[in-house]
Amino acid sequence: MKRFLAVALVGAAVMGGAAFAQSTQPADRAAPAATAQPADAKMALKGNWRASKLIGLNVYNEANEKLGDINELLVDKSGKINAVVIGIGGFLGMGEHDIAVSMDKLKFVEEPVRTSSTSTSTTARDTTTGAASTTTTSRNANDWVPDHAMMSGNKEQLKALPRFKYSDYN
């Protein structure tokens, strides 16, 4: 019986010691604690735009004439946008003249486009007759996309630029 009790005590001491050794580690060997993000980490991205939302964005000139829309963003390996491919003219993608321009040629605008068209009808939303209207969108200030882009030139000038073809760069 003494032998059985001695074996049981030694076994308990060995197991307890192993469990104790596992639970207490020196501070220098402990896993690093996860660094907490600052409370304003969400705010660091405010004012940015989603690249996926820029595709299809309308491009206008200074006279508020629609030139085309953004078809593609060309990005280098570091993530910098090197060029923007704009489809000029055409209808539903047919007959478009694609051009590539550098990002600095575009100015992104948050406010809706002002048109110079006159209205002769009166609706519940628009009660002015013959006044300049504003193209309205349902966007709010934090929807990750500007309203439109602006660029110098007119359709004829831009169609005179060299056509951008993806196959030229393969």
Side-chain angles (χ1 to χ4, degrees):
M1 177 82 152
K2 288 183 182 180
R3 186 180 246 180
F4 178 74
L5 185 61
V7 169
L9 285 175
V10 170
V14 169
M15 286 186 174
F20 180 76
Q22 288 179 359
S23 63
T24 57
Q25 294 180 353
D28 61 334
R29 289 184 41 201
T35 56
Q37 292 184 348
D40 62 344
K42 283 183 164 180
M43 300 305 289
L45 297 175
K46 187 173 180 149
N48 288 296
W49 297 321
R50 293 172 55 185
S52 61
K53 298 290 184 180
L54 294 178
I55 305 297
L57 197 69
N58 291 329
V59 180
Y60 293 85
N61 62 11
E62 293 85 2
N64 290 330
E65 299 167 332
K66 183 178 175 186
L67 301 172
D69 59 355
I70 297 175
N71 289 342
E72 193 72 63
L73 302 172
L74 302 178
V75 183
D76 68 10
K77 291 179 182 179
S78 70
K80 179 183 173 235
I81 298 175
N82 279 338
V84 179
V85 178
I86 301 173
I88 306 297
F91 180 72
L92 297 175
M94 301 292 293
E96 267 188 342
H97 180 85
D98 285 343
I99 61 169
V101 297
S102 61
M103 190 70 156
D104 63 343
K105 301 289 185 204
L106 294 174
K107 176 185 172 193
F108 291 95
V109 182
E110 301 269 351
E111 296 84 29
V113 176
R114 293 209 175 270
T115 60
S116 59
S117 64
T118 58
S119 172
T120 57
S121 64
T122 304
T123 64
R125 289 179 54 204
D126 183 13
T127 57
T128 61
T129 303
S133 63
T134 302
T135 304
T136 59
T137 59
S138 62
R139 295 185 174 139
N140 61 30
N142 194 19
D143 64 356
W144 298 88
V145 63
D147 184 77
H148 65 280
M150 292 193 64
M151 182 177 172
S152 296
N154 59 35
K155 283 186 182 182
E156 290 76 29
Q157 291 170 331
L158 297 179
K159 282 186 177 181
L161 293 174
R163 181 180 291 263
F164 175 80
K165 295 179 186 175
Y166 294 96
S167 60
D168 290 346
Y169 298 93
N170 285 341

